[in-house]
Amino acid sequence: RRARSTGQLLCVAHDDECAEESEHWDIEMALEDAIHKSELRVYFQPKISLATGRPVGAEALVRWENDFRGLIGPNEFIPVAESSGFIRPLTEWMLNSALRLAGMWEHRWGVQEVSVNIPPCVLDRSDFVDTVISAQKLWYSATNKLCIEIVEQSFIENVENAFSKLNRLRDEGISVSIDDFGTGYSSLAYFRDIPADQLKIDQSFVFGLLKDRDNANIVELIVDLAHRFGLSVVAEGVEDIQTLSALKKMQCDIAQGFFIARPMPAEEYHEWLANYRGINASGVISTSGAETAR
Ligand code: C2E
Ligand code: MG
Ligand code: MG
Ligand code: MG
């Protein structure tokens, strides 16, 4: 048996409980079985344009449905997958499953972007670009565009290598979004050559937007910075209408958050897309009645 990561994850406080817990549940070993037991799920969370109210795509977020543990969120097992190496097959599964499911979307909202999260250790692998390009070719659709979300930490080790991979993907029509922007290591010098299309402002700045002038300043600064370098901006963690309106005033391009919709299974997401009518001038989301996109 390989070293366990169970203890650290499940019980932070009590060592003896941990020892007992790990007798019954080895998260790392259970995770190894998750793909062939069909326990992984793709949830989708929509992103909407603040200018038009229209959906522009969705982020694919992994969930793990385990017989013993129920529905498990990624914060609980992505770190385990990263240390065990399972993150590579998991990412490949997500890429293929998200693109396959997106092929079933309705397209009355025009071209939609399907975003998949790519951690630094996966981006680092030499076969990464080929894996992404083959998934994109396999599930090709003229109305769905693949976007990969990477974090700033991807540039720490070998920035030239990371940039050249992102450039190869962009040459294939895949877009690149920098996730959790503002929390990691970023050098302003990157903005000259960063091969990205989009910045995603970290939730921590968005949550505090209305309460704290400093957070509002940071958001305005990121929007300005992004636009100066031809990048679009997504705000994630939009939980209320006031935040949505403030972001719109700040010229932020795209919003994602519980106020618009929570992440949901593919079938529910299809229903959400079918019923969505837009967002009116005062920022009210409408899922029925006349289309009010504006
Ligand atoms: P992330 O990529 O920054 O994803 C956004 C997270 O914020 C999601 O949590 C989403 O459910 C949550 N969120 C969205 N809107 C709101 C809101 O208005 N309020 C609040 N409080 N939260 C909101 P989730 O799905 O639990 O994922 C957490 C993190 O786990 C993700 O952060 C990402 O880093 C990682 N993750 C999720 N799916 C995958 C995956 O397929 N592969 C990898 N490598 N990482 C993943
Ligand atoms: Mg993300
Ligand atoms: Mg994020
Ligand atoms: Mg995050």
Side-chain angles (χ1 to χ4, degrees), residues 202-243:
D202 191 66
Q203 312 186 350
S204 56
F205 304 118
V206 179
F207 292 150
L209 185 63
L210 303 166
K211 284 171 243 131
D212 185 347
R213 190 59 230 172
D214 291 340
N215 282 314
N217 284 332
I218 289 171
V219 171
E220 284 176 344
L221 196 67
I222 295 175
V223 170
D224 186 40
L225 185 71
H227 288 169
R228 278 170 194 266
F229 287 90
L231 303 163
S232 68
V233 193
V234 182
E236 59 176 7
V238 180
E239 293 190 343
D240 51 59
I241 188 171
Q242 292 83 4
T243 306

mmCIF file of all heavy atoms in Angstrom, residues 202-243:
data_model
loop_
_atom_site.group_PDB
_atom_site.id
_atom_site.type_symbol
_atom_site.label_atom_id
_atom_site.label_comp_id
_atom_site.label_asym_id
_atom_site.label_seq_id
_atom_site.Cartn_x
_atom_site.Cartn_y
_atom_site.Cartn_z
ATOM 1 N N ASP A 202 -10.050 36.939 -8.719
ATOM 2 C CA ASP A 202 -10.320 36.014 -7.620
ATOM 3 C C ASP A 202 -11.542 36.446 -6.810
ATOM 4 O O ASP A 202 -11.782 37.635 -6.579
ATOM 5 C CB ASP A 202 -9.109 35.902 -6.698
ATOM 6 C CG ASP A 202 -9.289 34.751 -5.728
ATOM 7 O OD1 ASP A 202 -9.325 33.601 -6.183
ATOM 8 O OD2 ASP A 202 -9.443 35.018 -4.515
ATOM 9 N N GLN A 203 -12.283 35.446 -6.340
ATOM 10 C CA GLN A 203 -13.509 35.668 -5.559
ATOM 11 C C GLN A 203 -13.293 36.573 -4.351
ATOM 12 O O GLN A 203 -14.189 37.323 -3.985
ATOM 13 C CB GLN A 203 -14.037 34.348 -5.023
ATOM 14 C CG GLN A 203 -14.123 33.250 -6.035
ATOM 15 C CD GLN A 203 -14.793 32.012 -5.464
ATOM 16 O OE1 GLN A 203 -15.020 31.923 -4.288
ATOM 17 N NE2 GLN A 203 -15.124 31.080 -6.328
ATOM 18 N N SER A 204 -12.130 36.463 -3.739
ATOM 19 C CA SER A 204 -11.907 37.224 -2.507
ATOM 20 C C SER A 204 -12.068 38.723 -2.749
ATOM 21 O O SER A 204 -12.562 39.434 -1.875
ATOM 22 C CB SER A 204 -10.527 36.898 -1.937
ATOM 23 O OG SER A 204 -9.542 37.148 -2.909
ATOM 24 N N PHE A 205 -11.693 39.204 -3.929
ATOM 25 C CA PHE A 205 -11.861 40.629 -4.223
ATOM 26 C C PHE A 205 -13.323 40.952 -4.542
ATOM 27 O O PHE A 205 -13.810 42.034 -4.262
ATOM 28 C CB PHE A 205 -10.978 41.047 -5.405
ATOM 29 C CG PHE A 205 -9.524 40.731 -5.192
ATOM 30 C CD1 PHE A 205 -8.865 39.857 -6.046
ATOM 31 C CD2 PHE A 205 -8.818 41.279 -4.134
ATOM 32 C CE1 PHE A 205 -7.521 39.536 -5.854
ATOM 33 C CE2 PHE A 205 -7.477 40.979 -3.923
ATOM 34 C CZ PHE A 205 -6.833 40.098 -4.787
ATOM 35 N N VAL A 206 -13.988 39.969 -5.160
ATOM 36 C CA VAL A 206 -15.385 40.181 -5.569
ATOM 37 C C VAL A 206 -16.319 40.173 -4.360
ATOM 38 O O VAL A 206 -17.200 41.032 -4.244
ATOM 39 C CB VAL A 206 -15.809 39.126 -6.618
ATOM 40 C CG1 VAL A 206 -17.253 39.303 -7.042
ATOM 41 C CG2 VAL A 206 -14.874 39.176 -7.829
ATOM 42 N N PHE A 207 -16.084 39.234 -3.426
ATOM 43 C CA PHE A 207 -16.922 39.173 -2.215
ATOM 44 C C PHE A 207 -16.892 40.504 -1.465
ATOM 45 O O PHE A 207 -17.897 40.972 -0.949
ATOM 46 C CB PHE A 207 -16.438 38.084 -1.234
ATOM 47 C CG PHE A 207 -16.619 36.675 -1.725
ATOM 48 C CD1 PHE A 207 -15.741 35.666 -1.331
ATOM 49 C CD2 PHE A 207 -17.673 36.338 -2.561
ATOM 50 C CE1 PHE A 207 -15.900 34.356 -1.769
ATOM 51 C CE2 PHE A 207 -17.839 35.029 -3.007
ATOM 52 C CZ PHE A 207 -16.950 34.049 -2.606
ATOM 53 N N GLY A 208 -15.713 41.105 -1.378
ATOM 54 C CA GLY A 208 -15.551 42.296 -0.553
ATOM 55 C C GLY A 208 -15.789 43.598 -1.290
ATOM 56 O O GLY A 208 -15.621 44.685 -0.738
ATOM 57 N N LEU A 209 -16.198 43.467 -2.540
ATOM 58 C CA LEU A 209 -16.288 44.620 -3.443
ATOM 59 C C LEU A 209 -17.081 45.801 -2.883
ATOM 60 O O LEU A 209 -16.663 46.951 -2.982
ATOM 61 C CB LEU A 209 -16.934 44.136 -4.749
ATOM 62 C CG LEU A 209 -17.027 45.112 -5.902
ATOM 63 C CD1 LEU A 209 -15.630 45.505 -6.342
ATOM 64 C CD2 LEU A 209 -17.750 44.447 -7.057
ATOM 65 N N LEU A 210 -18.244 45.504 -2.281
ATOM 66 C CA LEU A 210 -19.118 46.581 -1.832
ATOM 67 C C LEU A 210 -18.760 47.073 -0.431
ATOM 68 O O LEU A 210 -19.118 48.170 -0.043
ATOM 69 C CB LEU A 210 -20.570 46.112 -1.856
ATOM 70 C CG LEU A 210 -21.071 45.619 -3.212
ATOM 71 C CD1 LEU A 210 -22.378 44.878 -3.050
ATOM 72 C CD2 LEU A 210 -21.209 46.768 -4.192
ATOM 73 N N LYS A 211 -18.063 46.231 0.313
ATOM 74 C CA LYS A 211 -17.770 46.564 1.704
ATOM 75 C C LYS A 211 -16.484 47.347 1.844
ATOM 76 O O LYS A 211 -16.300 48.082 2.803
ATOM 77 C CB LYS A 211 -17.644 45.268 2.543
ATOM 78 C CG LYS A 211 -18.980 44.638 2.858
ATOM 79 C CD LYS A 211 -18.767 43.256 3.499
ATOM 80 C CE LYS A 211 -19.356 42.162 2.632
ATOM 81 N NZ LYS A 211 -18.490 41.039 2.378
ATOM 82 N N ASP A 212 -15.605 47.161 0.906
ATOM 83 C CA ASP A 212 -14.250 47.632 1.114
ATOM 84 C C ASP A 212 -13.737 48.346 -0.142
ATOM 85 O O ASP A 212 -13.636 47.757 -1.208
ATOM 86 C CB ASP A 212 -13.391 46.394 1.434
ATOM 87 C CG ASP A 212 -11.973 46.746 1.788
ATOM 88 O OD1 ASP A 212 -11.565 47.906 1.558
ATOM 89 O OD2 ASP A 212 -11.258 45.861 2.286
ATOM 90 N N ARG A 213 -13.436 49.642 0.009
ATOM 91 C CA ARG A 213 -12.958 50.436 -1.119
ATOM 92 C C ARG A 213 -11.673 49.847 -1.719
ATOM 93 O O ARG A 213 -11.436 49.935 -2.919
ATOM 94 C CB ARG A 213 -12.742 51.882 -0.653
ATOM 95 C CG ARG A 213 -12.463 52.917 -1.740
ATOM 96 C CD ARG A 213 -13.583 53.021 -2.772
ATOM 97 N NE ARG A 213 -13.024 52.928 -4.125
ATOM 98 C CZ ARG A 213 -13.733 52.825 -5.251
ATOM 99 N NH1 ARG A 213 -15.047 52.790 -5.215
ATOM 100 N NH2 ARG A 213 -13.136 52.744 -6.403
ATOM 101 N N ASP A 214 -10.826 49.253 -0.870
ATOM 102 C CA ASP A 214 -9.573 48.665 -1.368
ATOM 103 C C ASP A 214 -9.845 47.554 -2.373
ATOM 104 O O ASP A 214 -9.185 47.450 -3.400
ATOM 105 C CB ASP A 214 -8.727 48.088 -0.215
ATOM 106 C CG ASP A 214 -8.166 49.195 0.669
ATOM 107 O OD1 ASP A 214 -8.107 50.353 0.208
ATOM 108 O OD2 ASP A 214 -7.801 48.888 1.818
ATOM 109 N N ASN A 215 -10.838 46.703 -2.050
ATOM 110 C CA ASN A 215 -11.197 45.631 -2.977
ATOM 111 C C ASN A 215 -11.746 46.204 -4.281
ATOM 112 O O ASN A 215 -11.429 45.719 -5.363
ATOM 113 C CB ASN A 215 -12.226 44.692 -2.350
ATOM 114 C CG ASN A 215 -11.578 43.727 -1.372
ATOM 115 O OD1 ASN A 215 -10.560 43.135 -1.667
ATOM 116 N ND2 ASN A 215 -12.167 43.606 -0.201
ATOM 117 N N ALA A 216 -12.563 47.235 -4.164
ATOM 118 C CA ALA A 216 -13.115 47.871 -5.365
ATOM 119 C C ALA A 216 -11.975 48.439 -6.214
ATOM 120 O O ALA A 216 -11.980 48.308 -7.445
ATOM 121 C CB ALA A 216 -14.102 48.962 -4.975
ATOM 122 N N ASN A 217 -11.001 49.056 -5.564
ATOM 123 C CA ASN A 217 -9.847 49.592 -6.298
ATOM 124 C C ASN A 217 -9.090 48.494 -7.030
ATOM 125 O O ASN A 217 -8.674 48.665 -8.182
ATOM 126 C CB ASN A 217 -8.882 50.310 -5.339
ATOM 127 C CG ASN A 217 -9.415 51.679 -4.945
ATOM 128 O OD1 ASN A 217 -10.157 52.320 -5.700
ATOM 129 N ND2 ASN A 217 -9.058 52.133 -3.750
ATOM 130 N N ILE A 218 -8.921 47.365 -6.365
ATOM 131 C CA ILE A 218 -8.202 46.236 -6.986
ATOM 132 C C ILE A 218 -8.964 45.745 -8.213
ATOM 133 O O ILE A 218 -8.384 45.529 -9.276
ATOM 134 C CB ILE A 218 -7.965 45.095 -5.969
ATOM 135 C CG1 ILE A 218 -6.910 45.538 -4.945
ATOM 136 C CG2 ILE A 218 -7.519 43.809 -6.669
ATOM 137 C CD1 ILE A 218 -6.737 44.601 -3.767
ATOM 138 N N VAL A 219 -10.287 45.610 -8.071
ATOM 139 C CA VAL A 219 -11.089 45.141 -9.210
ATOM 140 C C VAL A 219 -10.976 46.132 -10.375
ATOM 141 O O VAL A 219 -10.741 45.736 -11.522
ATOM 142 C CB VAL A 219 -12.564 44.927 -8.803
ATOM 143 C CG1 VAL A 219 -13.431 44.655 -10.019
ATOM 144 C CG2 VAL A 219 -12.679 43.769 -7.799
ATOM 145 N N GLU A 220 -11.098 47.418 -10.078
ATOM 146 C CA GLU A 220 -10.998 48.425 -11.149
ATOM 147 C C GLU A 220 -9.636 48.393 -11.826
ATOM 148 O O GLU A 220 -9.524 48.532 -13.046
ATOM 149 C CB GLU A 220 -11.284 49.825 -10.591
ATOM 150 C CG GLU A 220 -12.774 50.036 -10.345
ATOM 151 C CD GLU A 220 -13.096 51.381 -9.693
ATOM 152 O OE1 GLU A 220 -12.176 52.032 -9.150
ATOM 153 O OE2 GLU A 220 -14.276 51.762 -9.721
ATOM 154 N N LEU A 221 -8.624 48.197 -11.016
ATOM 155 C CA LEU A 221 -7.260 48.134 -11.536
ATOM 156 C C LEU A 221 -7.081 46.925 -12.460
ATOM 157 O O LEU A 221 -6.494 47.035 -13.534
ATOM 158 C CB LEU A 221 -6.301 48.032 -10.349
ATOM 159 C CG LEU A 221 -4.838 48.325 -10.618
ATOM 160 C CD1 LEU A 221 -4.654 49.792 -10.962
ATOM 161 C CD2 LEU A 221 -4.002 47.969 -9.386
ATOM 162 N N ILE A 222 -7.603 45.772 -12.038
ATOM 163 C CA ILE A 222 -7.471 44.553 -12.854
ATOM 164 C C ILE A 222 -8.229 44.724 -14.175
ATOM 165 O O ILE A 222 -7.724 44.359 -15.238
ATOM 166 C CB ILE A 222 -7.958 43.286 -12.095
ATOM 167 C CG1 ILE A 222 -7.052 43.007 -10.885
ATOM 168 C CG2 ILE A 222 -7.979 42.071 -13.020
ATOM 169 C CD1 ILE A 222 -7.505 41.843 -10.000
ATOM 170 N N VAL A 223 -9.424 45.315 -14.105
ATOM 171 C CA VAL A 223 -10.211 45.525 -15.330
ATOM 172 C C VAL A 223 -9.425 46.428 -16.292
ATOM 173 O O VAL A 223 -9.276 46.124 -17.479
ATOM 174 C CB VAL A 223 -11.594 46.141 -15.010
ATOM 175 C CG1 VAL A 223 -12.309 46.574 -16.287
ATOM 176 C CG2 VAL A 223 -12.458 45.146 -14.228
ATOM 177 N N ASP A 224 -8.882 47.511 -15.761
ATOM 178 C CA ASP A 224 -8.139 48.452 -16.594
ATOM 179 C C ASP A 224 -6.900 47.788 -17.197
ATOM 180 O O ASP A 224 -6.634 47.887 -18.400
ATOM 181 C CB ASP A 224 -7.756 49.673 -15.742
ATOM 182 C CG ASP A 224 -7.096 50.752 -16.586
ATOM 183 O OD1 ASP A 224 -7.565 50.977 -17.725
ATOM 184 O OD2 ASP A 224 -6.113 51.355 -16.123
ATOM 185 N N LEU A 225 -6.165 47.088 -16.334
ATOM 186 C CA LEU A 225 -4.955 46.386 -16.759
ATOM 187 C C LEU A 225 -5.280 45.394 -17.881
ATOM 188 O O LEU A 225 -4.633 45.378 -18.932
ATOM 189 C CB LEU A 225 -4.380 45.636 -15.548
ATOM 190 C CG LEU A 225 -3.052 44.920 -15.709
ATOM 191 C CD1 LEU A 225 -1.927 45.919 -15.825
ATOM 192 C CD2 LEU A 225 -2.804 44.002 -14.509
ATOM 193 N N ALA A 226 -6.302 44.580 -17.655
ATOM 194 C CA ALA A 226 -6.695 43.561 -18.632
ATOM 195 C C ALA A 226 -7.045 44.225 -19.960
ATOM 196 O O ALA A 226 -6.541 43.826 -21.021
ATOM 197 C CB ALA A 226 -7.881 42.765 -18.112
ATOM 198 N N HIS A 227 -7.881 45.254 -19.914
ATOM 199 C CA HIS A 227 -8.325 45.887 -21.152
ATOM 200 C C HIS A 227 -7.170 46.536 -21.908
ATOM 201 O O HIS A 227 -7.119 46.498 -23.131
ATOM 202 C CB HIS A 227 -9.447 46.888 -20.860
ATOM 203 C CG HIS A 227 -10.738 46.208 -20.497
ATOM 204 N ND1 HIS A 227 -11.828 46.871 -19.989
ATOM 205 C CD2 HIS A 227 -11.115 44.903 -20.585
ATOM 206 C CE1 HIS A 227 -12.814 46.006 -19.765
ATOM 207 N NE2 HIS A 227 -12.402 44.813 -20.115
ATOM 208 N N ARG A 228 -6.240 47.126 -21.180
ATOM 209 C CA ARG A 228 -5.082 47.727 -21.839
ATOM 210 C C ARG A 228 -4.273 46.707 -22.624
ATOM 211 O O ARG A 228 -3.575 47.042 -23.575
ATOM 212 C CB ARG A 228 -4.152 48.372 -20.823
ATOM 213 C CG ARG A 228 -4.591 49.746 -20.407
ATOM 214 C CD ARG A 228 -3.765 50.223 -19.238
ATOM 215 N NE ARG A 228 -4.387 51.377 -18.635
ATOM 216 C CZ ARG A 228 -4.063 52.630 -18.950
ATOM 217 N NH1 ARG A 228 -3.131 52.876 -19.839
ATOM 218 N NH2 ARG A 228 -4.690 53.637 -18.382
ATOM 219 N N PHE A 229 -4.315 45.441 -22.145
ATOM 220 C CA PHE A 229 -3.532 44.408 -22.817
ATOM 221 C C PHE A 229 -4.424 43.488 -23.650
ATOM 222 O O PHE A 229 -4.036 42.379 -24.004
ATOM 223 C CB PHE A 229 -2.701 43.623 -21.794
ATOM 224 C CG PHE A 229 -1.534 44.431 -21.280
ATOM 225 C CD1 PHE A 229 -1.674 45.236 -20.151
ATOM 226 C CD2 PHE A 229 -0.328 44.442 -21.972
ATOM 227 C CE1 PHE A 229 -0.611 46.005 -19.700
ATOM 228 C CE2 PHE A 229 0.741 45.216 -21.520
ATOM 229 C CZ PHE A 229 0.594 46.004 -20.382
ATOM 230 N N GLY A 230 -5.631 43.943 -23.953
ATOM 231 C CA GLY A 230 -6.502 43.195 -24.853
ATOM 232 C C GLY A 230 -7.098 41.928 -24.259
ATOM 233 O O GLY A 230 -7.485 41.012 -24.984
ATOM 234 N N LEU A 231 -7.163 41.850 -22.937
ATOM 235 C CA LEU A 231 -7.740 40.669 -22.297
ATOM 236 C C LEU A 231 -9.143 40.993 -21.793
ATOM 237 O O LEU A 231 -9.424 42.139 -21.418
ATOM 238 C CB LEU A 231 -6.876 40.249 -21.095
ATOM 239 C CG LEU A 231 -5.400 39.954 -21.368
ATOM 240 C CD1 LEU A 231 -4.594 39.975 -20.076
ATOM 241 C CD2 LEU A 231 -5.258 38.607 -22.054
ATOM 242 N N SER A 232 -10.012 39.992 -21.759
ATOM 243 C CA SER A 232 -11.329 40.220 -21.162
ATOM 244 C C SER A 232 -11.258 39.834 -19.681
ATOM 245 O O SER A 232 -10.313 39.177 -19.248
ATOM 246 C CB SER A 232 -12.399 39.412 -21.895
ATOM 247 O OG SER A 232 -12.203 38.045 -21.668
ATOM 248 N N VAL A 233 -12.261 40.276 -18.920
ATOM 249 C CA VAL A 233 -12.231 40.045 -17.476
ATOM 250 C C VAL A 233 -13.493 39.336 -16.996
ATOM 251 O O VAL A 233 -14.612 39.760 -17.300
ATOM 252 C CB VAL A 233 -12.151 41.372 -16.691
ATOM 253 C CG1 VAL A 233 -11.794 41.107 -15.237
ATOM 254 C CG2 VAL A 233 -11.160 42.307 -17.319
ATOM 255 N N VAL A 234 -13.298 38.291 -16.218
ATOM 256 C CA VAL A 234 -14.407 37.583 -15.582
ATOM 257 C C VAL A 234 -14.328 37.840 -14.081
ATOM 258 O O VAL A 234 -13.245 37.782 -13.506
ATOM 259 C CB VAL A 234 -14.288 36.051 -15.790
ATOM 260 C CG1 VAL A 234 -15.481 35.326 -15.167
ATOM 261 C CG2 VAL A 234 -14.167 35.710 -17.248
ATOM 262 N N ALA A 235 -15.464 38.121 -13.463
ATOM 263 C CA ALA A 235 -15.500 38.174 -12.004
ATOM 264 C C ALA A 235 -16.182 36.904 -11.531
ATOM 265 O O ALA A 235 -17.294 36.595 -11.969
ATOM 266 C CB ALA A 235 -16.265 39.397 -11.534
ATOM 267 N N GLU A 236 -15.535 36.155 -10.647
ATOM 268 C CA GLU A 236 -16.192 34.960 -10.107
ATOM 269 C C GLU A 236 -16.608 35.232 -8.670
ATOM 270 O O GLU A 236 -16.085 36.127 -8.023
ATOM 271 C CB GLU A 236 -15.314 33.713 -10.233
ATOM 272 C CG GLU A 236 -13.977 33.771 -9.550
ATOM 273 C CD GLU A 236 -13.204 32.449 -9.651
ATOM 274 O OE1 GLU A 236 -13.627 31.536 -10.351
ATOM 275 O OE2 GLU A 236 -12.156 32.369 -8.998
ATOM 276 N N GLY A 237 -17.616 34.495 -8.202
ATOM 277 C CA GLY A 237 -18.084 34.715 -6.837
ATOM 278 C C GLY A 237 -19.084 35.853 -6.736
ATOM 279 O O GLY A 237 -19.174 36.527 -5.709
ATOM 280 N N VAL A 238 -19.866 36.072 -7.801
ATOM 281 C CA VAL A 238 -20.895 37.110 -7.770
ATOM 282 C C VAL A 238 -22.137 36.534 -7.074
ATOM 283 O O VAL A 238 -22.814 35.667 -7.614
ATOM 284 C CB VAL A 238 -21.251 37.591 -9.198
ATOM 285 C CG1 VAL A 238 -22.314 38.672 -9.153
ATOM 286 C CG2 VAL A 238 -20.005 38.087 -9.907
ATOM 287 N N GLU A 239 -22.389 36.997 -5.866
ATOM 288 C CA GLU A 239 -23.450 36.390 -5.042
ATOM 289 C C GLU A 239 -24.689 37.248 -4.917
ATOM 290 O O GLU A 239 -25.694 36.811 -4.377
ATOM 291 C CB GLU A 239 -22.904 36.053 -3.640
ATOM 292 C CG GLU A 239 -21.855 34.942 -3.676
ATOM 293 C CD GLU A 239 -21.486 34.424 -2.301
ATOM 294 O OE1 GLU A 239 -21.771 35.104 -1.308
ATOM 295 O OE2 GLU A 239 -20.896 33.325 -2.242
ATOM 296 N N ASP A 240 -24.635 38.508 -5.345
ATOM 297 C CA ASP A 240 -25.834 39.342 -5.234
ATOM 298 C C ASP A 240 -25.892 40.377 -6.359
ATOM 299 O O ASP A 240 -24.913 40.629 -7.059
ATOM 300 C CB ASP A 240 -25.894 40.042 -3.862
ATOM 301 C CG ASP A 240 -24.590 40.758 -3.565
ATOM 302 O OD1 ASP A 240 -24.207 41.635 -4.356
ATOM 303 O OD2 ASP A 240 -23.930 40.411 -2.557
ATOM 304 N N ILE A 241 -27.082 40.950 -6.476
ATOM 305 C CA ILE A 241 -27.353 41.875 -7.564
ATOM 306 C C ILE A 241 -26.531 43.168 -7.459
ATOM 307 O O ILE A 241 -26.114 43.746 -8.465
ATOM 308 C CB ILE A 241 -28.868 42.171 -7.626
ATOM 309 C CG1 ILE A 241 -29.217 42.975 -8.865
ATOM 310 C CG2 ILE A 241 -29.367 42.867 -6.371
ATOM 311 C CD1 ILE A 241 -30.690 43.100 -9.074
ATOM 312 N N GLN A 242 -26.258 43.602 -6.217
ATOM 313 C CA GLN A 242 -25.482 44.832 -6.033
ATOM 314 C C GLN A 242 -24.064 44.649 -6.584
ATOM 315 O O GLN A 242 -23.530 45.548 -7.253
ATOM 316 C CB GLN A 242 -25.406 45.212 -4.542
ATOM 317 C CG GLN A 242 -26.728 45.651 -3.921
ATOM 318 C CD GLN A 242 -27.614 44.476 -3.476
ATOM 319 O OE1 GLN A 242 -27.227 43.307 -3.562
ATOM 320 N NE2 GLN A 242 -28.814 44.792 -3.000
ATOM 321 N N THR A 243 -23.493 43.493 -6.291
ATOM 322 C CA THR A 243 -22.141 43.220 -6.800
ATOM 323 C C THR A 243 -22.161 43.148 -8.325
ATOM 324 O O THR A 243 -21.280 43.691 -8.995
ATOM 325 C CB THR A 243 -21.602 41.895 -6.198
ATOM 326 O OG1 THR A 243 -21.697 41.982 -4.776
ATOM 327 C CG2 THR A 243 -20.168 41.645 -6.592
#
